[in-house]
Amino acid sequence: MHPSFTHLLIYKCKRDWVKEQLEKPIQEDKQFMFIKDTAMGVDGYYDKLPNIEAKHTFIIRNPHRVVFSARRLLMHLYEHKGDPDDFNLSGDHPFMAWEKLSPDPLFKLWNYVRENIDPNPIVIDADDLQNYPEETLRKYCEAVGIPFKKKYTTWPKSDESLKYFHGALEQMVWGKNEGVYDAAFLSSCILPLTKPLPDKVPEKCEGYAAEFREGYKIMYETRLKPTE
């Protein structure tokens, strides 16, 4: 059997197993369960979404903020030491495997959910969540029928929470070792934004940002509004 076919077969089996686990009843002492994934992670595998009663929630972020985070991560992974503006975020990056993904996977998944599962999924803008954490979480809890608790806005400043995560251990270990989660582990609450929204992005990031602008704009109009 060809190695690549073996890899795809194992990958499919893992997705089947995950779907099966998520469709099991939650523990009797639990009232609800959060399931988190990335749109890129399920792109092309919508048939593997769990068939359960759930409220889909999408967190969006302005592409002009995303490009700087993505560039910083990729520069770190590729050990780019030069001028950040010389780094081509829109170029060929094996780590990201752009060619295997749909254009704007998040917007595509949002449309799929609206057309096939729930016509009114919840959309939360990351800027709103950072600037109005309690207001946003209160409205979110109300929307999904969960009693809001003040403790949802704070947590211990440590990585102890990793012990309670159910997910890809390799991904979590990799992220921790690479410092991807440092800001989260070193925080104890949702921190407000400190940098203004950039009006434009560097030339070599423009292609990346352009791919997500239209989808972001459309989803933003449907977002949960914390101050209204």
Side-chain angles (χ1 to χ4, degrees):
M1 185 178 291
H2 193 279
S4 61
F5 180 78
T6 304
H7 174 74
L8 289 173
L9 182 61
I10 293 173
Y11 201 49
K12 180 181 183 301
C13 290
K14 285 184 176 180
R15 290 184 179 277
D16 288 336
W17 181 85
V18 170
K19 182 176 186 293
E20 179 183 330
Q21 300 307 304
L22 294 177
E23 290 178 343
K24 291 181 178 180
I26 63 174
Q27 298 176 19
E28 292 184 0
D29 61 334
K30 305 297 182 183
Q31 294 180 309
F32 53 85
M33 175 176 64
F34 280 96
I35 303 171
K36 181 259 181 189
D37 207 337
T38 64
M40 291 190 294
V42 299
D43 189 47
Y45 295 94
Y46 293 165
D47 60 314
K48 303 303 179 187
L49 292 173
N51 184 22
I52 56 177
E53 182 180 351
K55 188 64 179 177
H56 289 263
T57 303
F58 293 82
I59 297 183
I60 59 174
R61 192 182 186 199
N62 192 295
H64 284 206
R65 293 196 189 279
V66 174
V67 294
F68 290 100
S69 294
R71 186 177 70 173
R72 185 167 60 250
L73 172 62
L74 289 175
M75 285 177 57
H76 168 70
L77 293 176
Y78 293 123
E79 299 181 345
H80 179 84
K81 305 298 183 182
D83 186 340
D85 287 345
D86 290 336
F87 187 83
N88 186 7
L89 185 61
S90 305
D92 181 23
H93 299 295
F95 176 79
M96 302 303 290
W98 300 122
E99 74 283 356
K100 297 181 180 180
L101 297 172
S102 303
D104 199 345
L106 184 67
F107 184 52
K108 178 185 175 185
L109 177 58
W110 178 71
N111 278 311
Y112 176 85
V113 169
R114 292 176 69 223
E115 294 169 4
N116 297 277
I117 302 175
D118 179 1
N120 297 299
I122 298 171
V123 175
I124 294 176
D125 185 68
D127 283 15
D128 287 337
L129 182 59
Q130 285 194 255
N131 288 327
Y132 308 102
E134 183 168 335
E135 295 90 337
T136 300
L137 289 175
R138 281 185 181 277
K139 285 209 168 185
Y140 178 70
C141 287
E142 180 182 351
V144 297
I146 296 174
F148 172 80
K149 296 180 181 179
K150 182 73 173 179
K151 68 178 183 179
Y152 294 160
T153 62
T154 60
W155 51 84
K157 186 185 293 187
S158 75
D159 59 4
E160 285 293 303
S161 57
L162 279 175
K163 296 179 180 179
Y164 308 102
F165 285 9
H166 295 275
L169 179 61
E170 297 87 348
Q171 173 73 17
M172 290 187 283
V173 171
W174 171 84
K176 187 174 186 302
N177 290 340
E178 293 294 336
V180 176
Y181 308 136
D182 283 356
F185 290 143
L186 296 175
S187 66
S188 58
C189 63
I190 298 176
L191 300 173
L193 289 168
T194 58
K195 297 180 180 179
L197 179 66
D199 292 329
K200 59 182 181 179
V201 299
E203 180 181 352
K204 292 188 176 181
C205 295
E206 175 55 32
Y208 182 97
E211 181 175 330
F212 303 104
R213 280 199 189 101
E214 185 62 23
Y216 172 80
K217 180 180 178 181
I218 294 172
M219 294 179 71
Y220 183 83
E221 292 301 314
T222 72
R223 77 194 187 284
L224 182 152
K225 300 177 177 62
T227 57
E228 293 184 6

